[in-house]
Amino acid sequence: MTNLPDQGPAWLEDPNHNKLPIQGSCSIGRSAANQVTVTSDSVSRRHAIIQVQREHEYWLVDFGSRNGTYLNNQRIIQPTRLRENDRIRIGPVEFVFHLPQSGQKTVPDTIGAGSTMTDIWHARCWLLVADIIGSSRLLKETPPEEVPMITGRWVAECKQTIGEHGGRINQFMGDGFFAYWRVFRNWFSVVSASA
């Protein structure tokens, strides 16, 4: 693991009390290409990611690892929002997630049917809304230990494909996500040339 300089509003604390700042998306896994490397055979090459959704909002996503990603001793089966002092266990290593209280906004995990949350900004973009069709049936018919591998693999492949084509996953929501691409002048010709 690398002890990075103290930058950014959130960080992971490793078992040796090193601060590992989270800047943008923070991938965790056995491969040295990750921002946080955990050298253990029980850890996948690309095991999990901490994804920044908006200012002071971080989500933990398992990439379908065989041995799972645990948040506060519970295996996660879908993207899960992180809070101050959450414990993240990947293989034999446990990290503590830190987001100082002064920087946290009180944004609910869910929005009631009678309320509206407003976050307005203007940009020309393409928007993709992706969802696992039949996720309730998947949860009922699939052994619980296999669900995180299936959903994590799906999220990892979507993230990779979207990123390779200039897009970004912007918001996780249960069994789906929003992704967007900024609209550039000759985008259609670039897409058709690469197709």
Side-chain angles (χ1 to χ4, degrees):
M1 284 180 262
T2 310
N3 191 8
L4 302 172
D6 186 13
Q7 297 174 0
W11 70 90
L12 292 176
E13 180 181 328
D14 71 12
N16 295 322
H17 304 290
N18 293 314
K19 284 185 178 181
L20 310 170
I22 299 170
Q23 298 173 314
S25 296
C26 178
S27 61
I28 306 169
R30 194 175 67 234
S31 168
N34 292 291
Q35 282 78 21
V36 177
T37 305
V38 179
T39 52
S40 169
D41 290 339
S42 63
V43 175
S44 300
R45 288 184 317 116
R46 292 190 66 226
H47 196 98
I49 190 167
I50 296 174
Q51 178 77 36
V52 180
Q53 294 301 316
R54 55 177 77 118
E55 189 177 3
H56 306 297
E57 185 178 327
Y58 297 81
W59 291 71
L60 178 63
V61 182
D62 181 85
F63 278 156
S65 62
R66 181 156 305 280
N67 295 316
T69 299
Y70 291 81
L71 180 62
N72 301 322
N73 294 320
Q74 300 241 348
R75 186 172 182 163
I76 63 169
I77 60 171
Q78 61 187 17
T80 306
R81 185 157 182 203
L82 292 171
R83 304 280 184 207
E84 171 69 15
N85 289 320
D86 275 344
R87 294 180 332 273
I88 301 167
R89 185 166 45 86
I90 295 179
V93 180
E94 185 171 274
F95 300 95
V96 178
F97 175 77
H98 290 285
L99 180 63
Q101 295 295 330
S102 61
Q104 287 194 49
K105 292 182 179 178
T106 54
V107 177
D109 287 329
T110 59
I111 301 171
S115 63
T116 302
M117 179 180 278
T118 306
D119 184 14
I120 301 172
W121 52 281
H122 297 279
R124 292 180 52 97
C125 64
W126 285 96
L127 178 66
L128 169 70
V129 179
D131 185 49
I132 298 176
I133 296 173
S135 61
S136 296
R137 193 176 92 216
L138 174 72
L139 288 170
K140 288 179 187 173
E141 296 176 359
T142 307
E145 66 276 2
E146 291 181 24
V147 173
M149 290 185 285
I150 294 168
T151 58
R153 229 176 283 132
W154 176 74
V155 169
E157 289 175 14
C158 289
K159 182 172 177 46
Q160 180 177 349
T161 302
I162 289 166
E164 286 172 357
H165 295 285
R168 178 171 185 250
I169 291 180
N170 186 51
Q171 179 74 40
F172 290 104
M173 49 186 192
D175 60 349
F177 60 83
F178 289 109
Y180 72 93
W181 289 259
R182 296 259 174 153
V183 175
F184 296 106
R185 205 166 154 87
N186 295 322
W187 189 75
F188 286 108
S189 62
V190 171
V191 170
S192 59
S194 66

